Amino acid sequence: MKTMEDILQIYERLQSRITLDEFKKMVQEKIDLMGGLCDEKTASKLVAHDLGILDMMKIGEISLDQKDVSFMGKVTQVEAPHEFSRDDGSIGRVANTIVSDETGSIRVVLWDELADLVKVNELSAGKILNISGYVKDGYAGIEVNVGRNGSMEFIETDVDVKIKTHKISDIASGMSGINILGKVLNIGEIRRFSRKDGTEGFVSNITLGDETGRIRVVLWNDRTKEKLAPEDVIEITNGYSRENYGRTEIHLDRHGKIEKSSREVSYCEHMTKIADISINESYNVMGTVTEVVEKREFTKGDGSVGKVANIRISDDTDGIQVALWGENADLVDQINIGTQIKIMDGYAKAGWSDSIELNVDWRSEISTKDL
DNA sequence: CCCCCCCC
């Protein structure tokens, strides 16, 4: 009986507050009150509404267009709560969790008393929750905060969970909850930096590849401590993406996770023919040097000195201008007309007079071979 | 939350 299913589904969200019998009684009262003008399902919704429960959504439907949302999901990740001081001197607590259902995952931020539930391990991975909160564009994308007017209840049911594993080619700027299985292609140095508040931080980059492409991953602080080697297959969880000088990169901060995996990943380098290059995209290109212009120094906006060298390369489809920036400019000292060049992650931009120029910068890799 | 963006 379909109606009964619908009603039970609505009741699921109320079960921590009233018994099923009480609920059915309230539904009947509602029907009577409406003079028989509404059916059981509608009456159930009205009762739920009267009890302060909003229309329930699937996690995949939650967007910044909503203000307040209610949904049910399974806790798939919990982080240790952090303490902070409020201006009035009191100590606040905040805990981040990831909650998932069969349509997706979302970050749920719990404050104070709710965050304490994580501390005492009452809220842990696998628990099913009914959540009402407000949608916020957080630092790492969309999140739901359960504040004063929100609520969180434990419920006794199960939820199918589909943890989405992304492919590198699917990653666009502004995504959160990014999970990828990939192969480590490249590992950069760990750099230390000072924040405005005087504290110290660490950051490093790796390049990750899968069968759809390659992407730069920025590791922050403790994530830089992971012992990684080229060819390692890793699984990254709960990353977020941002755009940096025109290219999308994935960030992993304290909310993210890196784990080594024994699974296979077939990374294959996808090379693009020069004729297929269009602006504002990243490419891997192979070609022969047909022209070399001496490297030049120039003054940047901040007064410091920059270096650039321009060359031209060709393959069997076309030729293209290439700008070698910074340290890459020194490469012109060892290349000649006829040198074979392989560029990974070059970035095509509009050059002068309608041409396309392939930029080789600090995020690119370039190698040469003399025939 | 870091550092490079810029030439002919």
Side-chain angles (χ1 to χ4, degrees), chain A residues 140-178:
Chain A
I142 189 167
E143 61 187 33
V144 171
N145 281 243
V146 184
R148 290 257 169 271
N149 299 317
S151 66
M152 192 194 81
E153 296 158 356
F154 292 91
I155 50 171
E156 294 297 323
T157 182
D158 202 12
V159 168
D160 278 335
V161 164
K162 185 169 154 247
I163 300 294
K164 191 170 179 179
T165 302
H166 304 260
K167 291 297 173 194
I168 288 172
S169 60
D170 297 332
I171 305 303
S173 169
M175 289 168 64
S176 60
I178 297 173

mmCIF file of all heavy atoms in Angstrom, chain A residues 140-178:
data_model
loop_
_atom_site.group_PDB
_atom_site.id
_atom_site.type_symbol
_atom_site.label_atom_id
_atom_site.label_comp_id
_atom_site.label_asym_id
_atom_site.label_seq_id
_atom_site.Cartn_x
_atom_site.Cartn_y
_atom_site.Cartn_z
ATOM 1 N N ALA A 140 35.386 25.754 2.054
ATOM 2 C CA ALA A 140 35.613 24.679 1.083
ATOM 3 C C ALA A 140 34.300 24.258 0.439
ATOM 4 O O ALA A 140 34.017 23.085 0.301
ATOM 5 C CB ALA A 140 36.297 23.511 1.763
ATOM 6 N N GLY A 141 33.483 25.222 0.068
ATOM 7 C CA GLY A 141 32.243 24.898 -0.630
ATOM 8 C C GLY A 141 31.045 24.774 0.308
ATOM 9 O O GLY A 141 31.104 25.155 1.481
ATOM 10 N N ILE A 142 29.997 24.205 -0.242
ATOM 11 C CA ILE A 142 28.715 24.167 0.460
ATOM 12 C C ILE A 142 28.757 23.306 1.727
ATOM 13 O O ILE A 142 29.402 22.274 1.769
ATOM 14 C CB ILE A 142 27.627 23.672 -0.518
ATOM 15 C CG1 ILE A 142 26.240 23.822 0.069
ATOM 16 C CG2 ILE A 142 27.893 22.236 -0.941
ATOM 17 C CD1 ILE A 142 25.153 23.649 -0.960
ATOM 18 N N GLU A 143 28.090 23.781 2.765
ATOM 19 C CA GLU A 143 27.991 23.001 4.001
ATOM 20 C C GLU A 143 26.679 23.330 4.688
ATOM 21 O O GLU A 143 26.052 24.347 4.402
ATOM 22 C CB GLU A 143 29.182 23.303 4.933
ATOM 23 C CG GLU A 143 29.250 24.755 5.364
ATOM 24 C CD GLU A 143 30.514 25.108 6.150
ATOM 25 O OE1 GLU A 143 31.584 24.513 5.864
ATOM 26 O OE2 GLU A 143 30.431 25.963 7.043
ATOM 27 N N VAL A 144 26.262 22.420 5.568
ATOM 28 C CA VAL A 144 25.058 22.673 6.354
ATOM 29 C C VAL A 144 25.492 22.860 7.797
ATOM 30 O O VAL A 144 26.249 22.053 8.333
ATOM 31 C CB VAL A 144 24.066 21.494 6.245
ATOM 32 C CG1 VAL A 144 22.918 21.667 7.230
ATOM 33 C CG2 VAL A 144 23.520 21.392 4.822
ATOM 34 N N ASN A 145 25.051 23.955 8.392
ATOM 35 C CA ASN A 145 25.362 24.206 9.792
ATOM 36 C C ASN A 145 24.135 23.930 10.640
ATOM 37 O O ASN A 145 23.041 24.371 10.314
ATOM 38 C CB ASN A 145 25.780 25.668 9.994
ATOM 39 C CG ASN A 145 27.215 25.918 9.582
ATOM 40 O OD1 ASN A 145 28.059 26.276 10.391
ATOM 41 N ND2 ASN A 145 27.494 25.701 8.302
ATOM 42 N N VAL A 146 24.320 23.190 11.725
ATOM 43 C CA VAL A 146 23.219 22.959 12.652
ATOM 44 C C VAL A 146 23.431 23.928 13.805
ATOM 45 O O VAL A 146 24.240 23.702 14.695
ATOM 46 C CB VAL A 146 23.201 21.500 13.150
ATOM 47 C CG1 VAL A 146 21.983 21.270 14.037
ATOM 48 C CG2 VAL A 146 23.181 20.549 11.967
ATOM 49 N N GLY A 147 22.750 25.036 13.752
ATOM 50 C CA GLY A 147 22.918 26.083 14.767
ATOM 51 C C GLY A 147 21.770 26.061 15.759
ATOM 52 O O GLY A 147 21.111 25.047 15.954
ATOM 53 N N ARG A 148 21.519 27.210 16.385
ATOM 54 C CA ARG A 148 20.460 27.345 17.398
ATOM 55 C C ARG A 148 19.098 26.854 16.911
ATOM 56 O O ARG A 148 18.389 26.189 17.640
ATOM 57 C CB ARG A 148 20.312 28.815 17.800
ATOM 58 C CG ARG A 148 21.468 29.340 18.591
ATOM 59 C CD ARG A 148 21.153 29.443 20.076
ATOM 60 N NE ARG A 148 22.392 29.712 20.803
ATOM 61 C CZ ARG A 148 23.195 28.779 21.272
ATOM 62 N NH1 ARG A 148 22.881 27.509 21.137
ATOM 63 N NH2 ARG A 148 24.310 29.087 21.896
ATOM 64 N N ASN A 149 18.737 27.234 15.708
ATOM 65 C CA ASN A 149 17.399 26.886 15.228
ATOM 66 C C ASN A 149 17.333 25.552 14.506
ATOM 67 O O ASN A 149 16.272 25.113 14.104
ATOM 68 C CB ASN A 149 16.872 27.986 14.304
ATOM 69 C CG ASN A 149 16.757 29.303 15.025
ATOM 70 O OD1 ASN A 149 16.289 29.339 16.175
ATOM 71 N ND2 ASN A 149 17.202 30.377 14.395
ATOM 72 N N GLY A 150 18.461 24.922 14.374
ATOM 73 C CA GLY A 150 18.470 23.625 13.705
ATOM 74 C C GLY A 150 18.275 22.496 14.692
ATOM 75 O O GLY A 150 18.110 22.719 15.888
ATOM 76 N N SER A 151 18.290 21.299 14.165
ATOM 77 C CA SER A 151 18.175 20.153 15.054
ATOM 78 C C SER A 151 18.891 18.967 14.452
ATOM 79 O O SER A 151 19.132 18.907 13.245
ATOM 80 C CB SER A 151 16.701 19.796 15.286
ATOM 81 O OG SER A 151 16.130 19.351 14.073
ATOM 82 N N MET A 152 19.263 18.045 15.308
ATOM 83 C CA MET A 152 19.900 16.823 14.855
ATOM 84 C C MET A 152 19.386 15.693 15.727
ATOM 85 O O MET A 152 19.407 15.804 16.951
ATOM 86 C CB MET A 152 21.414 16.950 15.017
ATOM 87 C CG MET A 152 22.173 15.868 14.327
ATOM 88 S SD MET A 152 23.874 15.842 14.883
ATOM 89 C CE MET A 152 23.681 14.937 16.387
ATOM 90 N N GLU A 153 18.885 14.661 15.083
ATOM 91 C CA GLU A 153 18.333 13.536 15.848
ATOM 92 C C GLU A 153 18.906 12.236 15.323
ATOM 93 O O GLU A 153 19.110 12.084 14.123
ATOM 94 C CB GLU A 153 16.803 13.472 15.671
ATOM 95 C CG GLU A 153 16.079 14.660 16.214
ATOM 96 C CD GLU A 153 14.708 14.818 15.569
ATOM 97 O OE1 GLU A 153 14.376 14.038 14.656
ATOM 98 O OE2 GLU A 153 13.982 15.722 16.002
ATOM 99 N N PHE A 154 19.130 11.317 16.240
ATOM 100 C CA PHE A 154 19.559 9.972 15.848
ATOM 101 C C PHE A 154 18.315 9.177 15.521
ATOM 102 O O PHE A 154 17.329 9.252 16.240
ATOM 103 C CB PHE A 154 20.296 9.288 17.010
ATOM 104 C CG PHE A 154 21.606 9.932 17.313
ATOM 105 C CD1 PHE A 154 21.695 10.954 18.254
ATOM 106 C CD2 PHE A 154 22.751 9.513 16.663
ATOM 107 C CE1 PHE A 154 22.910 11.554 18.532
ATOM 108 C CE2 PHE A 154 23.980 10.108 16.933
ATOM 109 C CZ PHE A 154 24.054 11.133 17.879
ATOM 110 N N ILE A 155 18.334 8.441 14.429
ATOM 111 C CA ILE A 155 17.168 7.606 14.133
ATOM 112 C C ILE A 155 17.580 6.166 13.833
ATOM 113 O O ILE A 155 18.717 5.890 13.454
ATOM 114 C CB ILE A 155 16.316 8.170 12.962
ATOM 115 C CG1 ILE A 155 17.189 8.499 11.767
ATOM 116 C CG2 ILE A 155 15.529 9.371 13.413
ATOM 117 C CD1 ILE A 155 16.390 8.850 10.557
ATOM 118 N N GLU A 156 16.626 5.299 14.052
ATOM 119 C CA GLU A 156 16.869 3.868 13.907
ATOM 120 C C GLU A 156 16.383 3.393 12.549
ATOM 121 O O GLU A 156 15.264 2.943 12.416
ATOM 122 C CB GLU A 156 16.120 3.093 15.003
ATOM 123 C CG GLU A 156 16.620 3.345 16.410
ATOM 124 C CD GLU A 156 18.053 2.913 16.625
ATOM 125 O OE1 GLU A 156 18.445 1.867 16.051
ATOM 126 O OE2 GLU A 156 18.772 3.632 17.339
ATOM 127 N N THR A 157 17.197 3.554 11.575
ATOM 128 C CA THR A 157 16.839 3.046 10.257
ATOM 129 C C THR A 157 18.157 2.927 9.512
ATOM 130 O O THR A 157 19.190 3.246 10.064
ATOM 131 C CB THR A 157 15.855 4.008 9.542
ATOM 132 O OG1 THR A 157 15.505 3.460 8.283
ATOM 133 C CG2 THR A 157 16.456 5.377 9.331
ATOM 134 N N ASP A 158 18.125 2.458 8.289
ATOM 135 C CA ASP A 158 19.385 2.445 7.558
ATOM 136 C C ASP A 158 19.251 3.279 6.300
ATOM 137 O O ASP A 158 18.147 3.497 5.806
ATOM 138 C CB ASP A 158 19.825 1.022 7.215
ATOM 139 C CG ASP A 158 21.337 0.981 6.968
ATOM 140 O OD1 ASP A 158 22.021 1.971 7.285
ATOM 141 O OD2 ASP A 158 21.818 -0.035 6.443
ATOM 142 N N VAL A 159 20.358 3.760 5.844
ATOM 143 C CA VAL A 159 20.369 4.614 4.651
ATOM 144 C C VAL A 159 21.409 4.043 3.700
ATOM 145 O O VAL A 159 22.517 3.736 4.116
ATOM 146 C CB VAL A 159 20.747 6.062 5.045
ATOM 147 C CG1 VAL A 159 21.044 6.896 3.827
ATOM 148 C CG2 VAL A 159 19.635 6.699 5.858
ATOM 149 N N ASP A 160 21.023 3.883 2.470
ATOM 150 C CA ASP A 160 21.989 3.463 1.456
ATOM 151 C C ASP A 160 22.918 4.626 1.201
ATOM 152 O O ASP A 160 22.477 5.763 1.090
ATOM 153 C CB ASP A 160 21.277 3.136 0.136
ATOM 154 C CG ASP A 160 20.704 1.741 0.170
ATOM 155 O OD1 ASP A 160 21.234 0.913 0.945
ATOM 156 O OD2 ASP A 160 19.735 1.482 -0.557
ATOM 157 N N VAL A 161 24.155 4.316 1.075
ATOM 158 C CA VAL A 161 25.115 5.384 0.879
ATOM 159 C C VAL A 161 25.899 5.132 -0.387
ATOM 160 O O VAL A 161 26.366 4.032 -0.628
ATOM 161 C CB VAL A 161 26.080 5.443 2.083
ATOM 162 C CG1 VAL A 161 27.292 6.256 1.749
ATOM 163 C CG2 VAL A 161 25.370 6.026 3.283
ATOM 164 N N LYS A 162 25.968 6.146 -1.191
ATOM 165 C CA LYS A 162 26.816 6.019 -2.360
ATOM 166 C C LYS A 162 27.927 7.052 -2.211
ATOM 167 O O LYS A 162 27.698 8.249 -2.290
ATOM 168 C CB LYS A 162 26.016 6.288 -3.634
ATOM 169 C CG LYS A 162 26.832 6.039 -4.871
ATOM 170 C CD LYS A 162 25.956 6.038 -6.111
ATOM 171 C CE LYS A 162 26.778 6.426 -7.315
ATOM 172 N NZ LYS A 162 26.374 7.715 -7.870
ATOM 173 N N ILE A 163 29.118 6.545 -1.935
ATOM 174 C CA ILE A 163 30.237 7.460 -1.824
ATOM 175 C C ILE A 163 30.751 7.659 -3.238
ATOM 176 O O ILE A 163 31.177 6.728 -3.905
ATOM 177 C CB ILE A 163 31.351 6.882 -0.933
ATOM 178 C CG1 ILE A 163 30.820 6.608 0.464
ATOM 179 C CG2 ILE A 163 32.545 7.827 -0.896
ATOM 180 C CD1 ILE A 163 30.405 7.811 1.254
ATOM 181 N N LYS A 164 30.660 8.868 -3.679
ATOM 182 C CA LYS A 164 31.043 9.136 -5.046
ATOM 183 C C LYS A 164 32.561 9.187 -5.202
ATOM 184 O O LYS A 164 33.237 9.868 -4.453
ATOM 185 C CB LYS A 164 30.432 10.468 -5.480
ATOM 186 C CG LYS A 164 30.563 10.681 -6.943
ATOM 187 C CD LYS A 164 29.777 11.863 -7.425
ATOM 188 C CE LYS A 164 30.071 11.927 -8.914
ATOM 189 N NZ LYS A 164 29.425 12.949 -9.596
ATOM 190 N N THR A 165 33.060 8.436 -6.142
ATOM 191 C CA THR A 165 34.479 8.550 -6.464
ATOM 192 C C THR A 165 34.551 9.317 -7.771
ATOM 193 O O THR A 165 33.933 8.949 -8.754
ATOM 194 C CB THR A 165 35.122 7.163 -6.620
ATOM 195 O OG1 THR A 165 34.928 6.463 -5.405
ATOM 196 C CG2 THR A 165 36.607 7.287 -6.865
ATOM 197 N N HIS A 166 35.292 10.404 -7.720
ATOM 198 C CA HIS A 166 35.373 11.258 -8.901
ATOM 199 C C HIS A 166 36.512 10.828 -9.804
ATOM 200 O O HIS A 166 37.488 10.247 -9.355
ATOM 201 C CB HIS A 166 35.609 12.706 -8.475
ATOM 202 C CG HIS A 166 34.577 13.236 -7.538
ATOM 203 N ND1 HIS A 166 33.548 14.039 -7.943
ATOM 204 C CD2 HIS A 166 34.397 13.055 -6.216
ATOM 205 C CE1 HIS A 166 32.788 14.337 -6.912
ATOM 206 N NE2 HIS A 166 33.290 13.748 -5.841
ATOM 207 N N LYS A 167 36.355 11.149 -11.071
ATOM 208 C CA LYS A 167 37.455 11.003 -12.011
ATOM 209 C C LYS A 167 38.061 12.392 -12.189
ATOM 210 O O LYS A 167 37.347 13.402 -12.104
ATOM 211 C CB LYS A 167 36.938 10.472 -13.359
ATOM 212 C CG LYS A 167 36.448 9.029 -13.280
ATOM 213 C CD LYS A 167 37.570 8.073 -12.919
ATOM 214 C CE LYS A 167 37.034 6.662 -12.683
ATOM 215 N NZ LYS A 167 38.045 5.823 -12.011
ATOM 216 N N ILE A 168 39.337 12.420 -12.441
ATOM 217 C CA ILE A 168 40.028 13.705 -12.511
ATOM 218 C C ILE A 168 39.392 14.647 -13.542
ATOM 219 O O ILE A 168 39.223 15.832 -13.295
ATOM 220 C CB ILE A 168 41.531 13.490 -12.781
ATOM 221 C CG1 ILE A 168 42.169 12.934 -11.499
ATOM 222 C CG2 ILE A 168 42.222 14.790 -13.212
ATOM 223 C CD1 ILE A 168 43.602 12.481 -11.622
ATOM 224 N N SER A 169 38.954 14.100 -14.659
ATOM 225 C CA SER A 169 38.375 14.976 -15.689
ATOM 226 C C SER A 169 37.037 15.579 -15.261
ATOM 227 O O SER A 169 36.560 16.517 -15.876
ATOM 228 C CB SER A 169 38.206 14.206 -16.998
ATOM 229 O OG SER A 169 37.354 13.109 -16.795
ATOM 230 N N ASP A 170 36.428 15.044 -14.196
ATOM 231 C CA ASP A 170 35.155 15.600 -13.711
ATOM 232 C C ASP A 170 35.343 16.783 -12.772
ATOM 233 O O ASP A 170 34.369 17.428 -12.389
ATOM 234 C CB ASP A 170 34.373 14.547 -12.906
ATOM 235 C CG ASP A 170 33.973 13.359 -13.742
ATOM 236 O OD1 ASP A 170 33.812 13.537 -14.964
ATOM 237 O OD2 ASP A 170 33.825 12.257 -13.181
ATOM 238 N N ILE A 171 36.563 17.016 -12.354
ATOM 239 C CA ILE A 171 36.770 18.032 -11.328
ATOM 240 C C ILE A 171 36.695 19.434 -11.927
ATOM 241 O O ILE A 171 37.437 19.783 -12.832
ATOM 242 C CB ILE A 171 38.139 17.857 -10.619
ATOM 243 C CG1 ILE A 171 38.263 16.444 -10.048
ATOM 244 C CG2 ILE A 171 38.319 18.900 -9.519
ATOM 245 C CD1 ILE A 171 37.182 16.038 -9.076
ATOM 246 N N ALA A 172 35.754 20.206 -11.410
ATOM 247 C CA ALA A 172 35.627 21.605 -11.811
ATOM 248 C C ALA A 172 35.872 22.447 -10.570
ATOM 249 O O ALA A 172 35.781 21.948 -9.451
ATOM 250 C CB ALA A 172 34.238 21.861 -12.362
ATOM 251 N N SER A 173 36.129 23.706 -10.783
ATOM 252 C CA SER A 173 36.391 24.604 -9.666
ATOM 253 C C SER A 173 35.169 24.727 -8.748
ATOM 254 O O SER A 173 34.035 24.716 -9.221
ATOM 255 C CB SER A 173 36.773 25.951 -10.264
ATOM 256 O OG SER A 173 36.789 26.908 -9.299
ATOM 257 N N GLY A 174 35.385 24.805 -7.461
ATOM 258 C CA GLY A 174 34.285 25.033 -6.523
ATOM 259 C C GLY A 174 33.602 23.797 -5.980
ATOM 260 O O GLY A 174 32.564 23.886 -5.344
ATOM 261 N N MET A 175 34.153 22.621 -6.264
ATOM 262 C CA MET A 175 33.537 21.394 -5.747
ATOM 263 C C MET A 175 34.072 21.091 -4.345
ATOM 264 O O MET A 175 35.158 21.480 -3.978
ATOM 265 C CB MET A 175 33.868 20.214 -6.666
ATOM 266 C CG MET A 175 33.150 20.290 -8.008
ATOM 267 S SD MET A 175 33.782 19.115 -9.225
ATOM 268 C CE MET A 175 33.384 17.565 -8.461
ATOM 269 N N SER A 176 33.271 20.364 -3.571
ATOM 270 C CA SER A 176 33.760 19.894 -2.281
ATOM 271 C C SER A 176 33.444 18.415 -2.173
ATOM 272 O O SER A 176 32.761 17.858 -3.012
ATOM 273 C CB SER A 176 33.103 20.674 -1.150
ATOM 274 O OG SER A 176 31.716 20.511 -1.200
ATOM 275 N N GLY A 177 33.940 17.761 -1.147
ATOM 276 C CA GLY A 177 33.707 16.327 -0.986
ATOM 277 C C GLY A 177 34.306 15.521 -2.122
ATOM 278 O O GLY A 177 33.735 14.531 -2.564
ATOM 279 N N ILE A 178 35.468 15.933 -2.587
ATOM 280 C CA ILE A 178 36.087 15.241 -3.716
ATOM 281 C C ILE A 178 36.851 14.004 -3.246
ATOM 282 O O ILE A 178 37.695 14.084 -2.354
ATOM 283 C CB ILE A 178 37.056 16.184 -4.463
ATOM 284 C CG1 ILE A 178 36.281 17.352 -5.060
ATOM 285 C CG2 ILE A 178 37.837 15.434 -5.542
ATOM 286 C CD1 ILE A 178 37.168 18.425 -5.671
#
